[in-house]
Amino acid sequence: MNGHRIMAIDDENIVGKMIKASFEQDGYLVETFLNPKPAMARLKEETFDVVITDMTMPGMTGKE
């Protein structure tokens, strides 16, 4: 396990599952979120090496 942490935010559950499966097989720790608001709260609690986000989601864009 390499221990690098990845956050994936996408409002489509299947996309988050695919990202999680792909990176976890290479030893990354992956947390997925369907909604960007809980993801933002989690970022205040934990540090991630990379954030992968959908650019168009209900309520908030990936840029925000």
Side-chain angles (χ1 to χ4, degrees), residues 39-63:
M40 296 298 291
R42 185 73 172 130
L43 282 170
K44 292 178 182 178
E45 300 170 355
E46 292 289 332
T47 306
F48 291 84
D49 298 294
V50 174
V51 175
I52 300 169
T53 183
D54 185 353
M55 293 303 290
T56 51
M57 295 178 283
M60 186 181 289
T61 69
K63 281 186 170 185

Side-chain angles (χ1 to χ4, degrees), residues 17-56:
K17 285 182 177 183
M18 289 187 322
I19 291 170
K20 185 175 180 73
S22 295
F23 283 101
E24 283 186 342
Q25 72 182 359
D26 290 328
Y28 293 92
L29 302 172
V30 182
E31 286 190 45
T32 60
F33 293 85
L34 293 170
N35 185 312
K37 290 183 181 184
M40 296 298 291
R42 185 73 172 130
L43 282 170
K44 292 178 182 178
E45 300 170 355
E46 292 289 332
T47 306
F48 291 84
D49 298 294
V50 174
V51 175
I52 300 169
T53 183
D54 185 353
M55 293 303 290
T56 51

Side-chain angles (χ1 to χ4, degrees), residues 2-16:
N2 66 32
H4 293 290
R5 298 173 53 85
I6 297 173
M7 174 183 281
I9 312 164
D10 197 299
D11 60 329
E12 294 185 42
N13 194 33
I14 189 68
V15 175

